[in-house]
């Protein structure tokens, strides 16, 4: 049995601790949001959140009803970032091999040749992840966490950057397998797109579909640049005070009588990483309490459950609770 | 340049610190200080423009020259006066925090200067109070808030926290030989008698109730009549003044037939003379730098310029014959003068040759003639017929004309009579009696107990003590001089409290107070090198010899180090707990906004807060934006620079949002 050695983590690009291209980068992010906005109207914030999630090296879960533009958003974003993009439509009869890939016996050479599944891509859109079976779900989610897959005893690294965007139909729809809590925890953010506002929708309806605009999309970043941005985001300064604030929040969810189970340390780490990435795309080299507060609903809402009904809290309700925690002076 | 109200607390503290010095400096300095303070106060109240740099400089120059010329050279008094004046002048240029701080810091120097003059309990307590106020004002300046109560509280806390450090410093910091403050108190030695006695010298002391010395007896105290405290012996007479002379014979004649021996510890207040006090007659004294003279007095080769304490051993009934030269000196008289007195003495010698009988005749003379014991003998210089008789015949005037006198009149006249009659005699100056402190059990002798008596040399008995005052006013030996005065002759209002009916009522308090003072002097102000070495040996460090400074320093450091470490630990912990200054400045800023109705919800971050405030108060945008961005960079940014922290402090301090007026 051959076990391929795990690739060493790519060395940090030689950037100084200051952000020399801060302004430049900030302008670039604006441009990215703008470009995506040409196709997806009125969803700038969600675009920014998706970007943030990418730079925080996390994965994104988009939960909404069908037909709201989830897939389009991901496609456009991947193209704008200059990343290699694949899509998997999850169905109930799907097997793990359909995502990871399979070894096929070739009669010509008399050998098993590995055919890479769609997971070997930089951006993977896993559409309607709750339609597939738990077996397949967990195969995908494991790959997300490990950044590598093991097929038939052989470990293969996934490309870098590796960004999974999963979309989810709300649970009340028929024929779905709800994601267990442990799996939900692996997604950095869960966002909702929601219906477009009136003006955006009018604009959308007037435009003859999205195909024409799609043609004008050109990549603004490259895989190397994205990795570099990820590293830079990880080095955004988060002060001791803010770490305390984050810990206070975690502590609150664990001691408050409102929640079934408190936030995990992984959730806390996610919150910090996300805040750093958010500060980074906002053009700052330090985090603010506002960053934490901004991202808290997206990080926390899918990880917290109401103590009485086991149901998730809606975002506003959750925020009303969590945002009573004082910001340290 | 217009003064502001922040000057007022500083002015108050300057006044508090300067007040005790008013006793020490020239009167014009007091007036100048008072004028400067009133001017400052008026300028603050009325918003006057303060004098410019030139006029301030000129004034400072004039005051410095005046100070140096009106005080006796470069004395402590001159420097204190100069300091007081310059601080008062500095009040006129209190424009920046730096100026204010300098003024307050200078006040500490003024306070320390006070210890050169007075180290009593009251002075020390006042100094503590003044330090408290000064520190409070200093805190007040730094906090830049309105009330004085909080700074005062903090100041009290700081002082309490300083107590352990103070104790360690006091007990263990290597002492240097000298007073507690390394210098002789300037005021010492201004009272008491000097090396000579003329008429009126001791009477002047009767009004002086300062403590001369305190005695603790080992065992029973002798009867009051026997408490003759020997100071100096005067044997040279020039016709008007009795002097000690320059003869310092160090060979002590042996005492004979001593039975009643008394041991005591005597604490002598400084008097700036060479003599020490002993109980008549001294045998031994445990004071290294003094020796017994032939006339049974103690001579210190240094002036007694600080409080000293020594153990003495005296005999109450010893006989001493002295040396021949001593009693030969006891016969010396001027060639002429006081003819009537000489005639009186001659009349006695014609009757008998026995010196003892002549002595008795003289005492009888004092008893039987109409002599009055009084503090106000009137002037003796002017004769009965109005012509000036000169200083020569004062004894004649006293013995035959006025017949009113105090102890020195009687002692001087008696000694003169004896000498004129051919009997060796001399005057002893010292103190008589004393007051027992009812709580401490020790004896207090005051300047008002000063006394003069005679010693006469008799062939059979040697030198014998004769107190002619006792012949005139026997009650002098029973109580103090004031009580022995004729009724109605109160020296001052003060004596009303001492001798009047109030005295019985006040006496316990006075005793307790004196006890406190005595303990203070002994344990605090008297804590010297010897006491420190004693303490060290009790702690197990036996140091002897002179060169132990390094060792003593080592002991001090060993004791101080744990304290310093503890302090460092507490400070570092506090720093973390208090979450540094930035947080407190931010809180101040939020509080200031809360005062105008724009409180920060506790869960709001700085940027959201700023956004919300600016919605209500766009007029404050500039200052708020500056403070908030500085705060953000300090609190959440990568590096917090000290200068930025200071900048934030100043910005927040100067940020005074006004409530928007409702139109």
């Amino acid at each position: 049995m051959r076990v391929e050695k795990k690739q060493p983590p790519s060395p940090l690009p030689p950037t100084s601790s200051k952000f020399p291209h801060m302004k430049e980068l900030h302008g670039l992010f604006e441009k990215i949001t703008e470009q995506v906005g040409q196709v997806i109207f009125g969803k700038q914030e969600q675009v920014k959140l998706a970007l943030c999630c990418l730079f925080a090296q996390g994965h994104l879960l988009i939960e909404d009803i069908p037909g709201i533009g989830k897939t389009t958003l991901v496609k456009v974003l991947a193209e704008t970032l200059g990343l290699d993009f694949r899509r998997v439509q999850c169905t109930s009869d799907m097997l793990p091999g359909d995502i990871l890939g399979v070894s096929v016996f070739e009669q010509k050479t008399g050998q098993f040749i590995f055919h890479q599944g769609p997971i070997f891509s930089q951006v993977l859109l896993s559409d309607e992840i709750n339609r597939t079976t738990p077996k397949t779900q967990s195969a995908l989610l494991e790959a997300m966490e490990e950044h590598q897959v093991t097929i038939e005893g052989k470990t293969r690294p996934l490309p870098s950057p590796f960004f999974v965007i999963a979309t989810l139909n709300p649970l009340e729809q028929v024929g779905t397998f709800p994601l267990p809590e442990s799996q939900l925890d692996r997604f950095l953010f869960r966002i909702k797109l929601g219906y477009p506002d009136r003006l955006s929708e009018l604009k959308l309806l007037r435009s003859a579909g999205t195909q024409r605009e799609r043609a004008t999309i050109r990549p603004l970043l490259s895989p190397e640049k994205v990795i570099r941005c990820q590293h830079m985001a990880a080095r955004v300064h988060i002060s001791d005070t803010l770490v305390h604030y984050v810990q206070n929040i975690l502590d609150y969810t664990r001691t408050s009588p409102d929640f079934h189970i408190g936030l995990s340390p992984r959730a806390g780490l996610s919150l910090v990483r996300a805040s750093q990435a958010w500060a980074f795309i906002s053009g700052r080299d330090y985090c603010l309490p506002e960053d934490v507060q901004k991202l808290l609903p997206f990080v926390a809402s899918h990880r917290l459950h109401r103590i009485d009904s086991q149901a998730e809290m809606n975002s506003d309700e959750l925020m009303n609770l969590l945002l009573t925690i004082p910001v340290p002076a | 340049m217009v003064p502001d109200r922040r000057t007022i607390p500083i002015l108050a503290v300057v006044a508090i610190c300067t007040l005790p010095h008013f006793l020490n400096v020239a009167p014009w300095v007091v007036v100048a200080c008072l004028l400067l303070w009133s001017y400052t106060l008026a300028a603050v109240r009325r918003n006057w423009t303060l004098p410019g740099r030139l006029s301030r400089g000129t004034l400072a120059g004039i005051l410095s020259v005046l100070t140096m010329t009106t005080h006796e050279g470069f004395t402590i008094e001159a420097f204190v006066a100069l300091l007081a004046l310059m601080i008062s002048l500095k009040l006129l240029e209190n424009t920046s925090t730096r100026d204010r701080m300098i003024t307050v810091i200078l006040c500490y120097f003024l306070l320390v200067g006070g210890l050169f003059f007075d180290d009593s309990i009251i002075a020390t307590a006042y100094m503590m109070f003044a330090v408290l106020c000064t520190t409070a004002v200093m805190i007040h300046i730094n906090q830049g808030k309105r009330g004085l109560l909080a700074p005062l509280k903090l100041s009290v806390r700081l002082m309490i926290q300083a107590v352990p450090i103070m104790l360690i410093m006091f007990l263990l910091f290597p002492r240097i030989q000298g007073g507690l403050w390394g210098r002789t108190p300037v005021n010492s030695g201004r009272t008491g008698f000097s090396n000579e006695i003329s008429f009126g010298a001791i009477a002047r002391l009767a009004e002086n109730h300062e403590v001369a010395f305190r005695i603790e007896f080992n065992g029973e105290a002798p009867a009051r009549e026997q408490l003759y405290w020997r100071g100096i012996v005067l044997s040279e007479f020039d016709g008007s003044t009795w002097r000690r002379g320059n003869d310092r014979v160090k060979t002590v004649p042996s005492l004979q037939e001593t039975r009643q021996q008394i041991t005591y510890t005597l604490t002598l207040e400084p008097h700036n003379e060479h003599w020490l006090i002993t109980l008549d007659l001294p045998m031994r004294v445990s004071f290294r730098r003094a020796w017994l003279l032939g006339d049974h007095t103690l001579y210190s080769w240094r002036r007694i310029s600080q409080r000293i304490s020594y153990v003495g051993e005296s005999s109450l009934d010893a006989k001493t014959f002295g040396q021949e030269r001593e009693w030969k000196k006891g016969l010396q008289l001027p060639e002429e003068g006081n003819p009537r007195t000489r005639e009186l003495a001659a009349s006695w010698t014609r009757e008998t040759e026995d010196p003892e009988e002549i002595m008795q005749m003289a005492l009888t003379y004092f008893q039987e003639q109409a002599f009055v014991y009084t503090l106000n003998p009137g002037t003796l210089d002017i004769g009965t017929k109005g012509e000036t008789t000169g200083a020569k015949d004062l004894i004649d005037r006293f013995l035959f004309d006025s017949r009113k006198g105090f102890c020195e009149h009687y002692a001087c006249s008696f000694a003169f009579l004896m000498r004129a009659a051919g009997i060796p005699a001399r005057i002893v100056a010292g103190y008589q009696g004393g007051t027992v402190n009812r709580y401490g059990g020790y004896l207090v002798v005051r300047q008002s107990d000063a006394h003069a008596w005679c010693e006469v040399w008799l062939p059979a008995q040697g030198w014998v003590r004769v107190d002619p005052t006792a012949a005139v006013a026997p009650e002098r030996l029973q109580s103090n001089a004031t009580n022995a005065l004729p009724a109605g002759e109160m020296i001052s209002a003060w004596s009303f409290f001492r001798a009047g009916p109030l005295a019985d009522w006040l006496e316990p308090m006075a005793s307790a107070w004196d006890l406190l003072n005595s303990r203070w002097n002994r344990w605090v102000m008297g804590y010297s090198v010897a006491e420190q070495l004693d303490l060290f040996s009790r702690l197990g460090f036996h140091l002897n010899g002179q060169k132990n400074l390094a060792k003593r320093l080592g002991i001090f450091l060993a004791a101080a180090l744990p304290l310093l470490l503890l302090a460092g630990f507490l400070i570092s912990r506090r720093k973390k707990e208090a979450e540094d200054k930035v947080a407190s400045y931010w809180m101040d800023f939020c509080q200031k906004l809360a005062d105008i109705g724009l409180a920060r919800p506790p869960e709001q971050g700085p940027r959201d807060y700023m956004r919300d405030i600016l919605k209500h108060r766009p007029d404050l945008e500039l200052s708020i934006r500056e403070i908030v961005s500085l705060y953000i960079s300090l609190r959440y940014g990568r590096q917090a620079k000290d200068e930025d922290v200071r900048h934030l402090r100043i910005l927040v301090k100067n940020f005074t949002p006004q409530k928007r007026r409702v139109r």
Side-chain angles (χ1 to χ4, degrees), chain A residues 17-19 235-242 244-245 284-290 293 323-329, chain B residues 579 582-584 586-587 600-611 629 631-639:
Chain A
S17 62
K18 283 187 177 180
F19 284 68
R235 259 179 290 163
V236 163
H237 178 69
I238 180 152
S239 73
D240 211 37
T241 321
L242 208 51
H244 275 113
Y245 179 52
R284 269 181 281 118
D285 66 344
Y286 53 87
C287 291
L288 285 178
E290 282 86 346
Q293 292 175 351
L323 293 184
T324 54
I325 299 159
V327 175
Chain B
E579 203 55 59
V582 178
S584 87
W586 175 247
M587 304 288 249
R600 178 176 73 99
E603 68 277 7
Q604 201 167 37
R607 270 161 62 124
D608 288 353
Y609 183 40
M610 174 167 78
R611 191 195 59 219
S629 56
Y631 167 71
I632 286 175
S633 76
L634 282 171
R635 170 52 73 231
Y636 300 106
R638 208 166 275 275
Q639 290 151 327

Side-chain angles (χ1 to χ4, degrees), chain A residues 180-223:
Chain A
E181 275 154 37
S182 61
Q183 308 285 37
L184 279 175
D185 201 27
R186 295 176 198 250
F187 288 97
L188 184 66
F189 287 171
R190 184 182 68 177
I191 61 173
K192 286 179 180 171
L193 283 183
Y195 295 116
D197 58 63
R198 192 180 161 77
L199 281 178
S200 305
E201 191 151 26
L202 287 172
K203 197 175 168 190
L204 175 78
L205 295 175
R206 276 193 208 106
S207 70
T210 54
Q211 297 307 318
R212 193 161 50 87
E213 276 86 356
R214 288 271 304 274
T216 65
I217 300 280
R218 51 189 181 83
L220 294 171
L221 282 178
S222 63

Side-chain angles (χ1 to χ4, degrees), chain B residues 579-650:
Chain B
E579 203 55 59
D580 73 47
K581 295 175 196 161
V582 178
S584 87
Y585 300 148
W586 175 247
M587 304 288 249
D588 286 352
F589 170 73
C590 294
Q591 186 56 47
K592 280 182 176 180
L593 284 167
D595 288 346
I596 60 163
L598 295 169
R600 178 176 73 99
E603 68 277 7
Q604 201 167 37
R607 270 161 62 124
D608 288 353
Y609 183 40
M610 174 167 78
R611 191 195 59 219
D612 284 4
I613 303 167
L614 293 184
K615 265 184 222 158
H616 292 97
R617 298 296 301 270
D619 54 313
L620 295 175
E621 172 155 6
L622 224 61
S623 49
I624 287 181
R625 214 170 262 287
E626 194 177 5
I627 291 173
V628 171
S629 56
L630 191 57
Y631 167 71
I632 286 175
S633 76
L634 282 171
R635 170 52 73 231
Y636 300 106
R638 208 166 275 275
Q639 290 151 327
K641 282 189 209 143
D642 274 359
E643 64 225 49
D644 286 345
V645 178
R646 280 198 292 276
H647 188 51
L648 178 66
R649 182 176 73 87
I650 292 162

Side-chain angles (χ1 to χ4, degrees), chain A residues 257-260 305-311 313 317:
Chain A
D258 297 311
F259 303 110
H260 182 51
H305 295 266
R306 206 191 277 280
I307 195 148
D308 42 6
S309 62
Q310 297 268 324
M313 270 184 189
E317 210 177 342

Side-chain angles (χ1 to χ4, degrees), chain B residues 249-441:
Chain B
V249 185
K250 286 175 199 118
T251 43
V252 184
S254 57
L255 302 176
Q256 294 172 16
E257 295 176 40
T258 55
R259 281 188 302 275
Q260 269 186 281
Q261 288 184 14
I262 305 281
T263 316
Y264 51 89
T265 308
L266 195 146
T267 310
L268 182 64
E269 296 292 317
H271 50 55
N272 259 350
E273 294 287 349
H274 291 281
W275 42 265
L276 299 180
I277 297 286
T278 52
L279 184 63
D280 213 16
L281 285 162
M283 295 161 68
R284 244 168 266 115
V285 165
S286 69
F287 191 67
R288 268 195 299 170
R289 286 179 300 278
W291 52 82
L292 274 167
L293 297 184
D295 56 8
H296 299 284
T297 57
L298 268 164
Y299 182 81
S300 156
W301 59 273
R302 263 192 200 163
R303 287 179 188 272
I304 308 299
S305 57
Q306 44 185 282
R307 194 176 294 113
I308 54 167
S309 196
Y310 49 87
V311 177
E313 212 176 302
S314 295
S315 164
L316 292 178
D317 54 356
K319 281 184 181 175
T320 172
F321 286 89
Q323 285 157 324
E324 197 180 352
R325 56 194 305 258
E326 281 286 327
W327 48 265
K328 272 191 177 157
K329 225 167 75 183
L331 286 168
Q332 171 264 335
L333 271 186
E335 290 296 309
E336 49 185 23
N338 297 311
R340 287 193 279 173
T341 313
R342 285 173 201 258
E343 176 49 39
L344 179 67
S347 72
W348 290 335
T349 46
R350 279 195 293 275
E351 270 180 52
T352 175
E353 282 185 2
D354 183 12
E356 207 163 334
E357 272 180 47
I358 293 176
M359 196 181 80
Q360 277 310 322
M361 287 161 86
L363 287 175
T364 319
Y365 179 80
F366 279 123
Q367 270 166 355
E368 289 180 350
Q369 303 297 322
F371 281 98
V372 178
Y373 180 69
T374 173
L375 274 175
N376 304 314
T379 174
L380 292 167
D381 289 352
I382 297 160
T384 37
K385 287 165 197 141
E387 83 271 25
T388 312
T389 52
K392 285 189 288 186
D393 297 336
L394 286 179
I395 294 175
D396 271 8
R397 299 245 150 254
F398 167 67
L399 279 179
F400 301 103
D401 296 337
S402 80
R403 290 186 171 171
K404 289 177 189 165
F406 204 56
C407 60
E408 69 268 29
H409 295 83
Y410 297 99
C412 293
S413 314
F414 185 83
F416 189 92
L417 278 168
M418 288 301 106
R419 287 185 177 193
I423 305 168
R426 60 193 184 190
I427 294 175
V428 184
Y431 298 83
Q432 207 284 322
T435 325
V436 177
N437 186 297
R438 64 161 72 193
Y439 303 112

Side-chain angles (χ1 to χ4, degrees), chain B residues 65 74 78 126 312 480 488 551 587:
Chain B
V65 173
F74 294 101
Y126 184 84
N480 60 23
K551 285 182 195 163
M587 304 288 249

